[in-house]
Amino acid sequence: SVSSAFDFAPSLFPLSSTAQGYTALGAPSNPALDPTNALNGGSLEKNKSLTYLNGLSLVIGLIIGSGIFSSPSQVNKNAGSPGASLIVWAVAGVLAWTGAASYAELGGAIPLNGGAQVYLSKIFGEWAGFLFTWCAVTVLKPGSAAIIAIIFGEYLVRAAIGAEAVDASAWLNKGIALAGLVVVTALNCVSTKLGTRSADVFMFLKFLALLGVFVIGIVVAVTGLSYRGDANQDWKQQGWFDDTSHNISNWAVALYAGLWAFDGWDNVNYVTAEFKNPSRDLPRVIHTSLPLVILCYILANISYFLVLPSHVIESSNTVAVAFGSQVFGPVGALVLALFVSGSCFGALNATTFTSGRLVYAAGKEGYLPGIFGSIGLGKSHRAIRLHSSTTSPSKVPKKMVDWFADPDAGFFFTPISAMLLNAAITAVYILIGSFDTLVTFYGVAGYTFYFQTVLGLIILRVREPDLERPYKTWITTPIIFCCVSLFLLSRAVFAEPVQTLLVIAFMAVGLVVWFAWVGRRRGKERQRFRNMEGRSEKDVGWMFWKRWTT
Ligand code: ARG
């Protein structure tokens, strides 16, 4: 059966005590992590449970989120005409597809959990993997959460109060976005199960919302209710390609907005090691899910264009509301607004869950101060665990102990400090950013690493031609991806200089942190490990490679 997209997640970054498996001395405390063990041996083996269908729901479930209900405005504004917008959507989809196919090759050749972090570490060295993690913690994860929260706020305010309120007060939207963030963070701090359980419900809402768009589009096309059939509307004069933008930077900005809606195509790469048959299923998952999503998005956009004039699509981030109200009046608007905000809330919940684990893993790894790699409520929580599990006495009242330490509920047995850090950075982005600015910001940062990783695939082909690659893409695939993302990145400087400089600044700080602090410590650890009896240089390499992957 297709289980929830989040079933896998608790095992992604195991919360048990020896998650990283290494003691301070650098010696493996967990035999499964011994560098001399076979690749993927031991602990990862027992988690090999994901199937093709799980993979499909993982990819599709993450990709379809806020974007298809919010990006059309920015795509249309910048591309200029409906026809140009559809081209942007198609190009964004194909770009995501080529990227995902390249990642599938990497996933087959390096069948470990962790995605880009692992590939970059293997190809360029650990500094590159660190830089990715650094930017994921500071920009990518909180940035994407902020975008989703903002869209959540806008749709909810529109549903509850009406369109005027949204336009009247940006702060009301931001307030609701922050409230959503607080609720989701609290939920995920209290219990892992609370967080993951609610995910399924919201996943369902999002499919209903997209289905709603299709159905309305079909109704309109069949009944002729469409704006396009109404001769009184002045926008009718706009042909499919009238007003197409001639500014290449605008096209780049439109592409970033489209790419946001397709983002998440690398999701299976984070859990490659947990697939029963990664080399067969990864490419299959990619080559089914991406064409499917591309088709859905193109159809949804055609629906939008059939029902609404361009200037309405461009006027807000809540195209689905305008869409519902055009066909079914206020009730239609309300229903769609509720479904989309539900879908965004679910996405926010899912991304909070994984971000917490990512920050936690970075804390464990020594990429961040150790506190972020801790579980639960710090000292008091440790006392509670001691009380319930050992003979040592504790001052904590028995009743509280039972409640906190209930093994089934697992209340507060979550990476709380990691989640709070993530929420704090997200809140800053919500406060200072808007959908349009954040989407470019996120895109520039994200595509820097996608580009680097796919370039790494080409480098790896040259450097290690004999590496076993169960799935090999057509070599033009990564080349196309690299060329288009290079174009995107180079235009960003002209199109959105502030966001681009910010991203560069974050990376520069990350590099300083690596060379001044984390990397130097890592060098010392390596040296210590090297000095241990009977370790070959190859073991040293293995050990440090495997560290990133568990
Ligand atoms: N495509 C998703 C959306 O439209 C966003 C995915 C965010 N990316 C991520 N890796 N979580 O909302």
Side-chain angles (χ1 to χ4, degrees), residues 62-68 70-71 140-141 144 148 259-267 270 297 347 351 354 442 450:
L62 185 65
I63 293 184
I64 301 178
S66 63
I68 188 59
S70 54
S71 290
L140 298 174
K141 286 291 171 184
S144 60
I148 297 169
L259 287 170
W260 162 253
F262 283 104
D263 199 68
W265 46 261
D266 60 339
N267 204 23
Y270 289 98
Y297 282 11
T351 188
T354 44
Y442 177 86
Y450 291 145

Side-chain angles (χ1 to χ4, degrees), residues 81-354:
S81 66
S85 300
L86 289 175
I87 290 176
V88 167
W89 282 97
V91 171
V94 170
L95 189 61
W97 193 358
T98 53
S102 307
Y103 268 51
E105 170 172 330
L106 286 169
I110 308 169
L112 298 166
N113 282 350
Q117 189 197 359
V118 182
Y119 311 146
L120 289 171
S121 293
K122 163 142 175 76
I123 299 165
F124 298 100
E126 193 185 353
W127 66 271
F130 167 83
L131 198 59
F132 172 77
T133 305
W134 170 266
C135 285
V137 169
T138 57
V139 177
L140 298 174
K141 286 291 171 184
S144 60
I147 299 173
I148 297 169
I150 285 173
I151 296 302
F152 164 77
E154 290 192 9
Y155 270 99
L156 203 62
V157 170
R158 240 162 236 266
I161 311 177
E164 308 74 37
V166 181
D167 304 328
S169 167
W171 290 105
L172 183 61
N173 297 338
K174 291 191 185 225
I176 301 290
L178 283 176
L181 175 69
V182 170
V183 170
V184 160
T185 306
L187 211 70
N188 278 279
C189 282
V190 171
S191 147
T192 299
K193 275 191 190 158
L194 265 183
T196 54
R197 286 247 172 92
S198 49
D200 298 334
V201 179
F202 292 111
M203 179 100 108
F204 182 65
L205 287 180
K206 131 170 103 192
F207 284 118
L208 277 186
L210 197 60
L211 196 71
V213 171
F214 289 156
V215 170
I216 294 175
I218 292 169
V219 167
V220 158
V222 171
T223 59
L225 264 173
S226 139
Y227 254 8
R228 289 208 176 257
D230 185 344
N232 293 326
Q233 299 293 334
D234 56 352
W235 65 273
K236 205 196 161 226
Q237 269 88 42
Q238 186 192 22
W240 283 91
F241 284 96
D242 290 354
D243 304 325
T244 298
S245 170
H246 295 299
N247 182 333
I248 206 136
S249 294
N250 286 349
W251 283 76
V253 175
L255 252 178
Y256 279 118
L259 287 170
W260 162 253
F262 283 104
D263 199 68
W265 46 261
D266 60 339
N267 204 23
V268 273
N269 289 78
Y270 289 98
V271 289
T272 310
E274 284 159 55
F275 271 84
K276 275 189 192 137
N277 189 346
S279 51
R280 186 197 63 191
D281 286 339
L282 237 53
R284 271 175 75 199
V285 165
I286 293 309
H287 293 311
T288 327
S289 55
L290 276 141
L292 216 63
V293 174
I294 294 173
L295 186 71
C296 282
Y297 282 11
I298 300 269
L299 288 180
N301 274 288
I302 292 179
S303 285
Y304 292 146
F305 285 123
L306 283 178
V307 174
L308 296 170
S310 298
H311 70 85
V312 173
I313 295 177
E314 286 167 20
S315 67
S316 78
N317 296 324
T318 50
V319 61
V321 169
F323 188 76
S325 96
Q326 180 58 35
V327 183
F328 295 116
V331 179
L334 181 69
V335 170
L336 268 172
L338 283 177
F339 278 129
V340 177
S341 52
S343 151
C344 293
F345 187 83
L348 189 60
N349 182 50
T351 188
T352 302
F353 180 86
T354 44

